[in-house]
Amino acid sequence: MRNILQEIKNFVRSRSIHVSYVDVGSCNGCDIEVLACLAPRYDIEQYGIYVHNNPREADVLLVIGSVTPQWVDKLREIWDKIPEPKAAVAIGNCPISGCVYARRGTLTTPPVENYIPIAASVPGCPPRPTEILNAILSVAPIIFKDYEEKQP
Amino acid sequence: MRSIVYYVREFLRPEWLKKFFSVKTAPLTTPAYFKGYPTLTDKECTHCLTCMMICPAPGAIAVLRHKEQWAPEIYPGHCIRCGLCVEACPEGVLTSGRILDVTSRDKTAFSSWYRLEVDDNLCMRCGNCCVSCPVNREIDPQLAGTGTSASDEVIMRIEGGRVTILHEEKCTGCKTCETNCPNRAIRVARMVEGVQGGEAEA
Ligand code: SF4
Ligand code: SF4
Ligand code: SF4
Ligand code: SF4
């Protein structure tokens, strides 16, 4: 019985990934690429991925930007609001290295890994929509499949 | 009633169901015209560091020695895939998509130089920059403590109580002066100019 329930959950979760994105201080380039995923050319919804910015309903959090001091505690707050199972994907160079903001005298504190656990990173300045889509699609099954059975 | 049956029949067709539930656009592949991260060709790197000089992203490329051989390495979290290193490398060590073909077809090249600027409000006339500059020291070994120099050939010297830049074109962009300035008053900026159809100087 439990297995059938798990199978149903696996199926549903594989076709219904809710994404929330947060920009913690970037140039907006990566936001535009996330937006492009929604456009008909890439059409993120045909994969069952829905973008709507409510962390309470999200499965995957897309983190964009090198972290500015104002975001340090708020990012953690947003992450804590997302119900389990959840995954965070770092979009672009900024959350990985700070990219162009990784200079003397800028008010950013990358990498984002210091604040929340990151499941996957998509490097690029900005990354292509295909790369963002691929990252979401490849990280989702790893995190969500058999989630309940993996719990201790 | 008849219309309801019609709709149910219409929507239960297998091809319609398949289309509705499956992915419709082409598989997610990166188009061929897209610039990827630069990769290495089998040409030999001469360790000229042109690629590192032209790279606009901090920490994106480093030329490292592997036993006897130098080779550039690209760091994906830092590289912005601009392709400048590919175009700038005189030996064609790097490649990325079709950039090199376009470069050779259009005869594009870069010329670059360095621009020195001293902020007079921040500068306290200590002369550290003039003394530390390796090019200065080679031209005028007498250049000592104060940064004043008898030679007119040095890049910069303290003249009449302020830093005067004499020969900007001799600067190699090492930024030693920047690091040694206690006030961040001197700034070295790399200027790059793209030229097409002609010969680049540097
Ligand atoms: S592609 Fe551009 S950013 Fe990447 S290493 Fe080359 S010059 Fe630097
Ligand atoms: S990769 Fe090219 S530009 Fe860079 S150090 Fe080697 S030869 Fe010079
Ligand atoms: S960048 Fe290097 S070569 Fe140029 S002025 Fe400064 S110390 Fe001298
Ligand atoms: S090191 Fe800085 S403060 Fe000193 S003379 Fe040079 S620019 Fe001025």
Side-chain angles (χ1 to χ4, degrees):
Chain A
M1 184 58 210
R2 182 144 178 255
N3 276 338
I4 295 167
L5 196 63
Q6 189 65 58
E7 286 301 317
I8 294 170
K9 279 186 184 174
N10 284 350
F11 176 76
V12 172
R13 280 195 187 132
S14 74
R15 292 289 305 174
S16 167
I17 305 163
H18 284 215
V19 165
S20 165
Y21 64 87
V22 58
D23 182 338
V24 290
S26 82
C27 69
N28 264 180
C30 296
D31 303 62
I32 298 296
E33 298 306 305
V34 172
L35 194 70
C37 292
L38 291 163
R41 174 68 183 83
Y42 299 103
D43 194 9
I44 200 168
E45 297 197 346
Q46 71 185 324
Y47 301 93
I49 305 172
Y50 302 93
V51 180
H52 56 117
N53 275 335
N54 183 352
R56 295 260 191 228
E57 293 177 71
D59 302 308
V60 175
L61 179 70
L62 305 182
V63 189
I64 301 157
S66 46
V67 188
T68 58
Q70 291 94 329
W71 271 105
V72 169
D73 48 336
K74 296 179 189 76
L75 183 61
R76 184 76 223 182
E77 238 169 70
I78 289 178
W79 175 246
D80 288 339
K81 278 179 184 164
I82 301 177
E84 296 277 355
K86 60 187 172 183
V89 179
I91 303 289
N93 281 358
C94 281
I96 303 170
S97 69
C99 199
V100 289
Y101 304 108
R103 289 171 199 269
R104 221 168 33 180
T106 56
L107 273 175
T108 58
T109 46
V112 78
E113 270 168 326
N114 293 350
Y115 311 105
I116 58 170
I118 295 292
S121 310
V122 191
C125 184
R128 289 182 66 80
T130 50
E131 291 169 344
I132 298 172
L133 261 168
N134 274 331
I136 300 172
L137 287 173
S138 48
V139 79
I142 298 170
I143 305 285
F144 304 137
K145 192 159 183 279
D146 297 329
Y147 173 75
E148 281 76 12
E149 300 199 340
K150 277 190 257 169
Q151 289 310 96
Chain B
M1 191 65 210
R2 263 184 56 199
S3 66
I4 291 173
V5 171
Y6 171 81
Y7 275 116
V8 169
R9 284 224 337 251
E10 184 68 15
F11 290 137
L12 283 182
R13 281 182 303 134
E15 57 273 38
W16 191 92
L17 284 174
K18 190 157 169 276
K19 225 177 184 174
F20 187 78
F21 284 110
S22 63
V23 172
K24 280 157 237 71
T25 54
L28 292 173
T29 49
T30 303
Y33 48 81
F34 173 57
K35 270 190 277 188
Y37 289 105
T39 49
L40 300 187
T41 59
D42 47 11
K43 303 236 176 65
E44 203 167 320
C45 169
T46 54
H47 190 225
C48 67
L49 302 184
T50 308
C51 50
M52 281 177 76
M53 294 278 199
I54 205 156
C55 177
I61 186 165
V63 183
L64 307 173
R65 191 162 74 186
H66 307 276
K67 301 221 172 65
E68 295 302 294
Q69 177 68 52
W70 289 91
E73 186 162 344
I74 315 285
Y75 299 99
H78 298 249
C79 174
I80 62 172
R81 299 189 271 205
C82 66
L84 286 178
C85 55
V86 178
E87 292 186 50
C89 174
E91 311 293 329
V93 173
L94 293 154
T95 180
S96 163
R98 300 193 310 220
I99 305 177
L100 272 185
D101 304 348
V102 176
T103 309
S104 57
R105 191 193 65 211
D106 295 352
K107 294 197 180 59
T108 56
F110 291 108
S111 74
S112 66
W113 65 97
Y114 296 91
R115 198 187 135 90
L116 295 167
E117 204 164 271
V118 180
D119 185 335
D120 259 344
N121 295 323
L122 290 175
C123 174
M124 61 177 188
R125 286 82 166 139
C126 65
N128 277 5
C129 51
C130 316
V131 176
S132 63
C133 171
V135 180
N136 265 7
R137 277 145 70 128
E138 193 166 325
I139 296 170
D140 185 6
Q142 304 298 321
L143 192 80
T146 54
T148 50
S149 167
S151 164
D152 282 341
E153 296 302 307
V154 291
I155 295 182
M156 66 249 187
R157 65 179 182 194
I158 303 281
E159 220 174 69
R162 58 202 310 206
V163 181
T164 313
I165 290 150
L166 301 170
H167 290 284
E168 213 173 41
E169 73 283 355
K170 288 184 187 164
C171 173
T172 57
C174 66
K175 298 206 177 191
T176 309
C177 51
E178 242 189 59
T179 346
N180 280 298
C181 175
N183 300 329
R184 293 192 192 166
I186 190 162
R187 287 297 197 189
V188 185
R190 185 194 51 215
M191 316 294 275
V192 177
E193 188 178 44
V195 278
Q196 200 164 54
E199 279 298 302
E201 297 152 28

